[in-house]
Amino acid sequence: MTRTVVPTAARWTRAGIVGDGVFKVVLAAVYLAGAAPLGRLLGVSGWLMAVSGVALLACGGIEIRRVRDRSARTYLRLMAAYDIGWVVTAAVGLLLARRGSTAGGEVWVGYQAAAAVAFAGLLLAAAPTPPPPTPR
């Protein structure tokens, strides 16, 4: 039985990808467990918190499950796009809140729901990583 040796950098990249997925799963659990109180705190309805939690849970699970099937390059691009959007919508949400609007929380939590679905869909649609060549 031949064992594939994964270089150290690739191991750390995979660990980071799994860590990102675990973060999404934990955040989803918090959103689902505290949908009503967190929703009130953020000015968001409980159903939007729950929808966002379900979307994050699915996305994190898919991210963890597909870590060996998809290229790190695909993951890193999707993660960078997701995180940039997260920061931008957080900034927009804060700006709206400072101006007295109640829509800031909805923008931020709504983004997380929509972006998680898009992330998971794009990851599933991405071409699988070809298997390593078998030694002769």
Side-chain angles (χ1 to χ4, degrees):
M1 178 183 214
T2 304
R3 203 173 149 185
T4 305
V5 177
V6 179
T8 303
R11 276 191 227 146
W12 283 109
T13 301
R14 271 196 197 148
I17 292 166
V18 170
D20 190 73
V22 168
F23 177 79
K24 285 181 178 85
V25 169
V26 169
L27 188 60
V30 169
Y31 279 17
L32 290 168
L38 277 174
R40 280 191 299 277
L41 182 66
L42 295 171
V44 177
S45 61
W47 69 265
L48 182 56
M49 292 298 298
V51 166
S52 186
V54 169
L56 283 166
L57 183 63
C59 180
I62 290 168
E63 193 172 355
I64 294 165
R65 176 88 169 114
R66 295 293 176 204
V67 73
R68 295 189 191 278
D69 301 344
R70 302 297 187 263
S71 74
R73 185 177 185 173
T74 298
Y75 269 101
L76 295 177
R77 286 180 175 178
L78 289 172
M79 287 165 51
Y82 181 94
D83 290 347
I84 289 168
W86 206 61
V87 169
V88 169
T89 56
V92 168
L94 285 171
L95 180 63
L96 288 170
R98 282 187 164 241
R99 294 187 175 206
S101 173
T102 59
E106 291 172 347
V107 167
W108 188 61
V109 175
Y111 168 79
Q112 291 177 62
V117 170
F119 184 106
L122 290 169
L123 188 58
L124 288 172
T129 304
T134 55
R136 291 184 167 193

